[in-house]
Amino acid sequence: MTETLTSEQIQKHYDAAMDSVNLLNAGQPEGMTAEDWVDTVSRNVEHLEIMVAKDFWEGQDISVLQAAIDANS
């Protein structure tokens, strides 16, 4: 089933997905335990997997989302 979203809503989803990409690409923050980092990675990869599966993208580059999934799975 295709979701009908406005361009603004789609951009908000993309921006949120890019927040996950940027967090994963930055690596484990200083002071965060290894256990917390593993949980953070898991939650953000799951978020990106959900977003990549969406069919409402309007030309946004979702390859960067997939690259972050691949690098952290």
Side-chain angles (χ1 to χ4, degrees):
M1 179 175 170
T2 301
E3 293 181 59
T4 304
L5 302 174
T6 66
S7 293
E8 292 79 18
Q9 290 169 316
I10 293 168
Q11 189 60 49
K12 285 183 182 183
H13 281 294
Y14 188 74
D15 291 346
M18 286 304 299
D19 287 345
S20 289
V21 169
N22 293 332
L23 182 116
L24 292 169
N25 287 344
Q28 182 177 346
E30 188 175 322
M32 179 181 272
T33 67
E35 182 179 337
D36 286 343
W37 178 242
V38 168
D39 183 53
T40 298
V41 168
S42 176
R43 284 183 286 115
N44 282 275
V45 166
E46 182 179 351
H47 173 234
L48 292 174
E49 290 171 337
I50 291 167
M51 290 296 99
V52 166
K54 300 293 183 181
D55 60 0
F56 53 62
W57 300 114
E58 297 179 323
Q60 289 85 358
D61 182 9
I62 62 169
S63 68
V64 294
L65 309 183
Q66 188 62 55
I69 292 168
D70 295 344
N72 291 281
S73 294

